[in-house]
Amino acid sequence: MKYLLITIAILLGSSPVLIAQKPPVKSPENEKFVFLNNGATVGMIIKSVVKADKQRLKLTDQQLPKAKEIITKAVVDFNEGVKTLKAAGMNQKKLRTLALGVEDEKVKAYKAILTPEQYQIVVTQHKKVYPESRV
């Protein structure tokens, strides 16, 4: 068994000591979502948004991975922003400003992967929720 671990370590270009000492990578998707007290994680929110956007925008298989990446970034940014706001004193105006900023970035990132028709759906919906947006 020891020789097997050493062989694997040599093949991977690392020593067995380094392999055993690597800490597990903490995924942001396993973090608790700050606004929900029902045990929902960031990953659950991401899956829900991806599913909704896939239906709403009729995303293709080629668009889906990049869309998931964009959504993941937006959800993680929002979650971290709310944590910061809670620590610094959160109010409705600050929360709205945070949400607007995160959603604006998401819409801008979507532009690169969506067709003009799909993007128009995103912008129209975004303007309904955030009329003060400059997207």
Side-chain angles (χ1 to χ4, degrees):
M1 183 69 176
K2 181 179 175 184
Y3 295 112
L4 178 62
L5 288 176
I6 292 172
T7 305
I8 292 171
I10 290 170
L11 290 173
L12 293 176
S14 179
S15 71
V17 175
L18 291 177
I19 290 176
Q21 292 178 351
K22 287 184 181 176
V25 177
K26 186 178 176 189
S27 171
E29 293 184 12
N30 294 329
E31 250 182 71
K32 186 178 179 305
F33 191 71
V34 290
F35 277 137
L36 300 176
N37 293 329
N38 62 358
T41 63
V42 169
M44 295 166 121
I45 302 300
I46 292 167
K47 283 181 187 174
S48 176
V49 175
V50 167
K51 183 179 178 183
D53 276 4
K54 183 177 180 179
Q55 290 175 342
R56 177 175 65 126
L57 302 172
K58 296 171 182 43
L59 295 174
T60 66
D61 291 340
Q62 292 80 21
Q63 293 170 320
L64 208 52
K66 186 65 178 166
K68 184 176 184 212
E69 204 176 286
I70 292 167
I71 292 166
T72 300
K73 183 182 179 328
V75 172
V76 169
D77 287 351
F78 181 75
N79 206 41
E80 293 302 318
V82 171
K83 286 179 188 176
T84 304
L85 283 178
K86 278 186 172 183
M90 180 169 55
N91 63 34
Q92 202 65 28
K93 185 177 179 184
K94 290 178 183 177
L95 186 60
R96 178 82 178 181
T97 303
L98 170 67
L100 176 64
V102 169
E103 287 296 318
D104 278 355
E105 288 302 314
K106 184 177 120 184
V107 170
K108 288 175 187 174
Y110 258 156
K111 187 171 187 169
I113 67 164
L114 298 178
T115 64
E117 295 81 21
Q118 290 171 319
Y119 186 68
Q120 190 58 46
I121 293 169
V122 171
V123 170
T124 303
Q125 183 65 34
H126 181 67
K127 286 288 191 179
K128 283 181 186 175
V129 177
Y130 302 102
E132 69 272 26
S133 175
R134 298 176 199 241
V135 173

